[in-house]
Amino acid sequence: MGISLFTASWVTALLAFCAWVSILLLGRNRMFRGTVVERANIYCLETLPANVNRLMRAGISDAFVQKAEGVWIALFGRRNPVFQIFAIVLYFLGLSVFMTQAAPAIPNRYVGGWQWITIALTLAVNMGSYAVACVVDPGYVDAGNVDRACSLFELDGLLYSENAVCRTCHLRKPARSKHCSACGRCIQMMDHHCMWLNNCIGLNNARWFLAFLASFSAVCIYGTYLFATVVLELRHVRGLTHAMVQDELTGEMVPLSFKTSILYLLDENVLLAIIMVLLLILTPAIAIFTVYQLRIASLGYTGNEEIKWLNVADDIKDEVLFVVNEGSEQEAYAVIEKEDQQADLRPKRLVTDLAQVANKYHRGIWENLRFILLASSSGSKPHVD
Ligand SMILES: [Zn+2]
Ligand SMILES: [Zn+2]
């Protein structure tokens, strides 16, 4: 008794699919900068399409190539609901497997009937926060609110320079904002554009995004626990706890091992097995991403600023970041390339350590989190020292 070739092949296919989605989803995350995950992402999203493009140009008409490029841009470069629909369909497929395969075995000897209340609450919070994060205006900057948006945070002169204007929106760039090419707008306190939500994550929906991530982690952990109790319950119901099997080598009757009984049940209930494998892969990935997002939020960074800080660290390592005296005691940060440093006669000192450049937007862990929970583009101006 063991795992059949059929089960082994779909588990392999599922693992390969999850790895591919993870590379697409997380490859450009600053967590994976310089790692094999980022290189795989660049290969999938840049090198491979460029090679395919070259091959296509060699044998296929220009009109077809243009059409294919158009589809690619529409999918990955513009706001569109394809990945959102895909995520929602997967979510409800998982939920229907739960309702058909697991729900009939709840309550069981491990889970009381009262847990249907906590199951319903967890799912409601998760779906509710997802829906709100998807539909809320993330903090678009427009002509009507640009002045208020610019007064929300002071420019720090390092990540955000004076007098910056968005080349697309032709509006002043508020501190901590970024232009999103998919949305075609500048977003206040921009974190990133999330294709799974088909929306930007910014000032107005960061709290809903964090609530969604935290509750989705809870759904995955709770779901794994519930499915595990159902498999253990099935082991009792099917009488596998005291089953005897013939030993292939000695021919003697021996008790069925715990591991073999679980593998037998999973091989027999393919849907249950698929969802268990999916949950085992998804749960740590979602939990790590949630902790990561909470960590940068509590340290006063947005996802976009995390990348900017990595660039500042690179500038410091390359010895090109200076504090320059602009005259009348006015100091400012400036990146001066090696070849221009001698010709630049302004009084300046080299920044040699990241500790010498403070994050102006870090106001203490609790204050940072409180601001994300309560902030809104129409809300009160936060105090920045
Ligand atoms: Zn813009
Ligand atoms: Zn966007």
Side-chain angles (χ1 to χ4, degrees):
M1 212 173 345
I3 288 195
S4 66
L5 190 65
F6 171 69
T7 310
S9 11
W10 66 250
V11 168
T12 313
L14 202 62
L15 284 173
F17 176 73
C18 288
W20 179 71
V21 172
S22 314
I23 284 167
L24 287 189
L25 175 66
L26 297 171
R28 288 299 168 84
N29 195 291
R30 48 273 176 214
M31 256 196 302
F32 295 108
R33 187 137 150 165
T35 67
V36 66
V37 181
E38 187 192 49
R39 283 199 293 278
N41 177 284
I42 291 172
Y43 181 79
C44 285
L45 290 180
E46 286 172 24
T47 317
L48 190 64
N51 287 341
V52 171
N53 199 331
R54 237 196 331 272
L55 278 176
M56 280 167 54
R57 278 183 196 282
I60 301 170
S61 73
D62 279 355
F64 183 82
V65 172
Q66 272 179 2
K67 215 166 232 170
E69 278 176 354
V71 171
W72 184 267
I73 290 170
L75 263 184
F76 293 100
R78 298 271 174 276
R79 216 177 156 195
N80 73 80
V82 172
F83 296 97
Q84 189 184 25
I85 292 169
F86 177 70
I88 293 172
V89 167
L90 263 191
Y91 191 98
F92 280 96
L93 275 180
L95 202 57
S96 58
V97 172
F98 177 77
M99 291 314 287
T100 54
Q101 309 292 309
I106 295 173
N108 56 45
R109 71 195 70 208
Y110 306 98
V111 172
W114 62 268
Q115 294 215 19
W116 275 112
I117 299 170
T118 45
I119 293 169
L121 280 175
T122 316
L123 286 171
V125 170
N126 189 229
M127 290 182 201
S129 55
Y130 179 81
V132 178
C134 286
V135 299
V136 147
D137 161 356
Y140 296 127
V141 179
D142 56 37
N145 69 11
V146 65
D147 288 338
R148 198 172 55 213
C150 284
S151 72
L152 198 56
F153 298 102
E154 285 176 26
L155 296 161
D156 67 349
L158 180 64
L159 307 187
Y160 303 100
S161 50
E162 301 268 344
N163 308 321
V165 172
C166 175
R167 277 175 299 170
T168 313
C169 306
H170 306 294
L171 293 169
R172 271 192 301 151
K173 275 187 159 182
R176 312 197 78 185
S177 71
K178 184 180 183 290
H179 183 84
C180 172
S181 56
C183 295
R185 319 270 292 264
C186 277
I187 316 289
Q188 296 179 62
M189 207 174 153
M190 153 84 144
D191 192 276
H192 69 288
H193 183 88
C194 180
M195 61 182 189
W196 304 104
L197 275 80
N198 192 26
N199 202 2
C200 259
I201 309 302
L203 181 70
N204 292 343
N205 64 348
R207 82 202 77 151
W208 297 109
F209 180 64
L210 286 176
F212 161 68
L213 281 182
S215 58
F216 193 39
S217 296
V219 165
C220 290
I221 294 167
Y222 198 16
T224 308
Y225 167 71
L226 291 171
F227 274 111
T229 68
V230 167
V231 174
L232 291 177
E233 176 71 14
L234 271 179
R235 201 170 151 263
H236 283 282
V237 173
R238 298 288 305 274
L240 297 179
T241 44
H242 296 95
M244 302 291 281
V245 284
Q246 199 172 26
D247 190 298
E248 280 173 9
L249 289 176
T250 63
E252 279 175 45
M253 293 304 279
V254 290
L256 179 66
S257 75
F258 176 78
K259 187 180 143 198
T260 314
S261 68
I262 299 294
L263 289 177
Y264 172 72
L265 283 171
L266 289 180
D267 204 28
E268 211 185 48
N269 299 274
V270 175
L271 275 178
L272 210 62
I274 290 178
I275 205 85
M276 287 294 282
V277 173
L278 257 182
L279 278 172
L280 287 176
I281 299 165
L282 202 61
T283 307
I286 296 293
I288 290 170
F289 189 60
T290 306
V291 170
Y292 185 78
Q293 283 291 135
L294 279 170
R295 184 179 168 275
I296 64 165
S298 62
L299 292 176
Y301 301 120
T302 60
N304 175 44
E305 285 162 0
E306 182 77 3
I307 296 166
K308 284 176 177 274
W309 277 107
L310 285 170
N311 293 335
V312 169
D314 283 346
D315 288 341
I316 292 173
K317 206 168 77 191
D318 296 342
E319 301 183 335
V320 294
L321 181 66
F322 289 86
V323 176
V324 177
N325 195 321
E326 306 260 72
S328 64
E329 302 295 302
Q330 197 81 348
E331 286 194 328
Y333 292 107
V335 173
I336 307 170
E337 296 302 335
K338 281 256 158 74
E339 57 271 27
D340 303 326
Q341 286 175 10
Q342 280 230 312
D344 193 314
L345 298 174
R346 290 176 294 177
K348 56 185 179 291
R349 64 172 190 278
L350 185 68
V351 177
T352 54
D353 195 297
L354 205 54
Q356 295 164 11
V357 281
N359 175 11
K360 196 167 190 172
Y361 309 114
H362 178 37
R363 289 173 281 137
I365 290 171
W366 296 115
E367 184 54 31
N368 292 339
L369 291 175
R370 197 187 69 85
F371 178 72
I372 287 176
L373 288 178
L374 303 176
S376 85
S377 52
S378 55
S380 61
K381 183 180 170 180
H383 172 72
V384 178
D385 296 320

